[in-house]
Amino acid sequence: MADADIIRRFVPPHPPRTEGPVAAWRGFFGERARTAVYGWSEAAFGAPYLKRKVLGYTVHMPLRPELIQHVLLDNAANYVKPDLVKRLLARTIGQGLLSSDGDLWRDQRKIVAANFAPAPIDRLIPTFAAAANGVAARWHDGEVDVAASGVAVTMRIIADSLFAGDARLTTEAAVNHIKAALDGVGEARLQVLLGLPLMPWSLKGKRAHAGQRYLRETLGQVVKDRGPGGGPDDFLGTLIRALYAKFPPGEAFALAVDNAATFYLAGHETTANALAWTLFLLSEQPALQERCAAEAAAALAAGEADPELPERLPLLRRVLEESLRLYPPAPRFDRQAAAADRIGDYAVNPGDIVSIWPWLLHRHRALWDDPDAFDPDRFLPGARAARHRFAYLPFGGGPRLCVGMRFATIEALAVLAHWLRAWHFAPLPGREVQVSGMITMRPKDGLPLILSRRSH
Ligand code: HEM
């Protein structure tokens, strides 16, 4: 069913855009140094390709789907994770799945793949429901920060579904340290680009380092407590056992901690943002929100553990997909060319960086009608089939496609269905919503909405 009849044209907020190109050096100052999607020109959202020099690096930004397909799929073997990114992330996630390449990446992807197949994820639907209801039990009529609720629910879910509910992973200290570690990325990025040692320059930098240390130590202890046998038969247990079977003990331990950190962080922060942005968009569309709430109530009537739940939520799924288009939680990701290549007409030298920008692609004038406007009908089956599959990349593409894509989608749908069935979300009058973040895209300073309990 199309939604055009009930959607008011709505252009949700995005950072201001300049008319002309923005000089690369601007990326190191002001808001642009803190927020990846800040400071773009209108021209960037219409260009087929951008190329920049950044502190001696050549950075290519292909913006046509077929060019991106070349990088992520057709010649994926030539485009590895950049050394700069590895250095930036090494202190937190080491050489885990997200930040490794070649055989080490392939071995790790094989080890975790079984946990992310459809059947194990469908079995988590009751876990998603319990976490959603647990967080909503603390809500009250009135102002609630749904961004904080998004973090609480996804952290609970990742701890319960991958780490046997380890209480050390859901503490307030953990929440604060992760936020500090992410807030410090802007400063660390500049140090990495300048080839400087990664040392705190500011209070923010100090907090970020403390956050990274806390995460490594906590997850190191969690892995140590399990021992080489891995303990329970959950994600962490099977991961530890498979790593010890394949690698020498020292390496296996380090990789277990790297992947524990990778999955703990990649597995909750992105989905938390997707939840917050989706609720924000629905808060601005009261009629659509009512329809989603009715769909959720009907779908949940089939039972909280129903594996068909996601299929019973087609409208909510379209809203979620549109939210991931407008506010992709990972607004950019990068590769580095191993050997010389051509991306369409553009020559690439070994060592060049290739940046893929869902933020630009998802709002590109050549790919979307009225690109900044909210319209879930873009994801009706016919419209989707007419689009190039590399025009929409919230989860990346090719062999490095997000391994948690199905987990995140079903988790988000289940959580949103429970929340929308029981609560109504309205904007907080006078509150301007802004984006922020260098690696993930968060609502700046949280996302307070006005909640009211639905009467049944
Ligand atoms: C809405 C939620 C999510 C979004 C938008 C998202 C986005 C992405 C993107 C864009 C990539 C590709 C990065 C690249 O190619 O460089 C990726 C990779 C990855 N994601 Fe997600 N993700 C989400 C949820 C999750 C969840 C729930 C998990 C785990 C439970 C997860 C774990 C990972 C891992 C481990 C990788 C690296 C895969 C590899 O390189 O083989 N993500 N994600």
Side-chain angles (χ1 to χ4, degrees):
M1 178 177 52
D3 319 307
D5 52 330
I6 53 165
I7 293 176
R8 281 189 296 115
R9 184 171 182 279
F10 170 52
V11 177
H14 58 74
R17 294 174 192 157
T18 55
E19 275 307 317
V22 181
W25 60 264
R26 290 285 300 278
F28 300 108
F29 299 96
E31 192 56 37
R32 179 72 186 82
R34 289 186 288 274
T35 299
V37 301
Y38 204 91
W40 285 100
S41 70
E42 275 300 340
F45 296 85
Y49 202 94
L50 298 169
K51 190 172 161 185
R52 286 193 175 166
K53 274 270 183 213
V54 183
L55 296 178
Y57 289 91
T58 301
V59 181
H60 304 258
M61 290 173 260
L63 291 169
R64 286 217 316 261
E66 62 278 17
L67 303 181
I68 295 176
Q69 176 175 333
H70 175 82
V71 175
L72 295 183
L73 180 65
D74 303 339
N75 197 16
N78 190 47
Y79 293 96
V80 296
K81 296 285 171 133
D83 291 337
L84 291 171
V85 173
K86 287 180 182 159
R87 237 193 108 210
L88 186 64
L89 300 179
R91 300 162 64 99
T92 317
I93 60 172
Q95 299 187 78
L97 184 64
L98 187 77
S99 42
S100 55
D101 281 302
D103 288 344
L104 183 56
W105 168 74
R106 230 178 317 278
D107 287 345
Q108 298 186 89
R109 181 99 186 187
K110 232 182 263 164
I111 286 173
V112 302
N115 287 282
F116 293 94
I121 292 176
D122 289 349
R123 283 198 292 277
L124 290 173
I125 290 178
T127 306
F128 301 155
N133 293 332
V135 167
R138 299 197 289 273
W139 286 349
H140 49 82
D141 285 333
E143 187 181 323
V144 171
D145 179 358
V146 300
S149 297
V151 171
V153 76
T154 54
M155 228 176 184
R156 172 89 268 152
I157 286 171
I158 215 73
D160 285 350
S161 50
L162 303 190
F163 299 95
D166 198 305
R168 286 168 284 190
L169 304 186
T170 51
T171 59
E172 208 180 317
V175 174
N176 294 335
H177 279 302
I178 290 170
K179 182 164 186 315
L182 288 169
D183 284 348
V185 168
E187 180 175 303
R189 168 177 161 263
L190 186 53
Q191 293 168 342
V192 164
L193 277 168
L194 292 170
L196 297 172
L198 280 164
M199 284 171 51
W201 284 346
S202 62
L203 185 60
K204 199 184 245 190
K206 268 200 186 110
R207 290 201 183 119
H209 279 241
Q212 288 158 355
R213 234 185 353 263
Y214 177 91
L215 274 175
R216 289 299 293 188
E217 281 167 14
T218 307
L219 291 163
Q221 200 51 54
V222 168
V223 172
K224 219 176 260 164
D225 292 350
R226 294 278 188 118
D233 200 16
D234 59 353
F235 166 81
L236 185 60
T238 49
L239 172 74
I240 292 176
R241 278 190 288 282
L243 289 170
Y244 273 88
K246 179 135 197 103
F247 297 95
E251 205 177 327
F253 176 77
L255 287 173
V257 182
D258 290 348
N259 281 300
T262 299
F263 279 85
Y264 177 52
L265 290 176
H268 87 270
E269 162 70 20
T270 41
T271 318
N273 291 321
L275 291 173
W277 290 117
T278 306
L279 289 175
F280 163 64
L281 292 166
L282 283 174
S283 74
E284 296 282 344
Q285 296 286 332
L288 181 65
Q289 187 185 150
E290 288 315 299
R291 208 174 264 184
C292 287
E295 181 185 76
L300 290 169
E304 293 205 338
D306 176 22
E308 304 290 313
L309 178 66
E311 281 67 52
R312 297 185 203 279
L313 299 165
L315 175 59
L316 187 57
R317 184 187 284 261
R318 291 205 295 281
V319 173
L320 174 67
E321 288 174 325
E322 176 67 342
S323 156
L324 292 170
R325 181 185 74 85
L326 286 167
Y327 297 107
R332 74 175 282 179
F333 49 89
D334 301 280
R335 296 289 188 270
Q336 187 161 25
D341 188 26
R342 293 194 76 78
I343 302 178
D345 294 337
Y346 306 91
V348 175
N349 292 317
D352 283 2
I353 304 289
V354 181
S355 279
I356 308 297
W357 277 87
W359 172 256
L360 299 176
L361 190 70
H362 290 183
R363 292 168 179 261
H364 200 283
R365 290 191 292 278
L367 299 172
W368 309 89
D369 289 334
D370 201 3
D372 293 319
F374 171 72
D375 180 6
D377 280 2
R378 301 177 199 275
F379 294 92
L380 284 167
R384 180 200 304 273
R387 212 165 26 238
H388 194 294
R389 69 191 160 120
F390 280 77
Y392 177 67
L393 298 173
F395 294 101
R400 307 290 303 239
L401 177 75
C402 174
V403 75
M405 178 170 82
R406 188 181 164 87
F407 183 116
T409 306
I410 297 186
E411 171 189 18
L413 288 173
V415 169
L416 288 166
H418 281 275
W419 286 356
L420 286 161
R421 175 175 65 165
W423 293 85
H424 175 263
F425 301 82
L428 179 63
R431 173 84 168 32
E432 203 188 322
V433 173
Q434 291 180 341
V435 301
S436 126
M438 236 19 231
I439 295 193
T440 54
M441 188 162 27
R442 293 180 157 205
K444 190 174 183 177
D445 302 324
L447 184 62
L449 295 178
I450 300 293
L451 271 58
S452 49
R453 219 178 295 263
R454 287 179 188 278
S455 49
H456 289 289

